Amino acid sequence: MAKRSKATARKKKTWKELSPMAKFGTITAAIVQLSLLVAAQRDISRRPAEEIRGSKALWRAATLINFVGPGTYFTFGVKRHPAAK
């Protein structure tokens, strides 16, 4: 019979078992993620298609990927205009 490694044998903690700091960190990360998602979705809705690289529908789907999606959209999906002088 094969032995289980420590990583697979480790039981996931329930919410009640988490420390107060772990709960705070989890809630904070969730708020940040949700804020980024809402900001990206709102920007896609309001920004004209000409100012977005690629398809709006594809960027909407991409922003659903935690943290990476909205960050990628704001970094690569939005066309930047040179600063007016």
Side-chain angles (χ1 to χ4, degrees):
M1 185 175 212
K3 291 184 178 181
R4 287 182 165 187
S5 68
K6 286 184 180 181
T8 58
R10 190 176 302 160
K11 181 183 172 273
K12 290 185 180 181
K13 289 185 177 183
T14 64
W15 183 256
K16 289 180 181 179
E17 296 171 331
L18 292 177
S19 69
M21 280 303 289
K23 288 179 182 180
F24 176 78
T26 302
I27 291 169
T28 302
I31 290 170
V32 170
Q33 168 57 32
L34 197 58
S35 299
L36 286 170
L37 174 64
V38 168
Q41 292 287 333
R42 181 177 243 177
D43 188 78
I44 292 169
S45 294
R46 294 181 176 183
R47 190 176 298 272
E50 303 82 46
E51 294 181 17
I52 295 177
R53 289 187 180 100
S55 164
K56 280 188 165 191
L58 289 176
W59 279 116
R60 280 196 183 281
T63 59
L64 298 175
I65 301 169
N66 290 345
F67 295 104
V68 176
T72 304
Y73 167 70
F74 286 119
T75 304
F76 301 109
V78 179
K79 292 180 182 176
R80 303 283 180 228
H81 300 290
K85 291 185 179 183

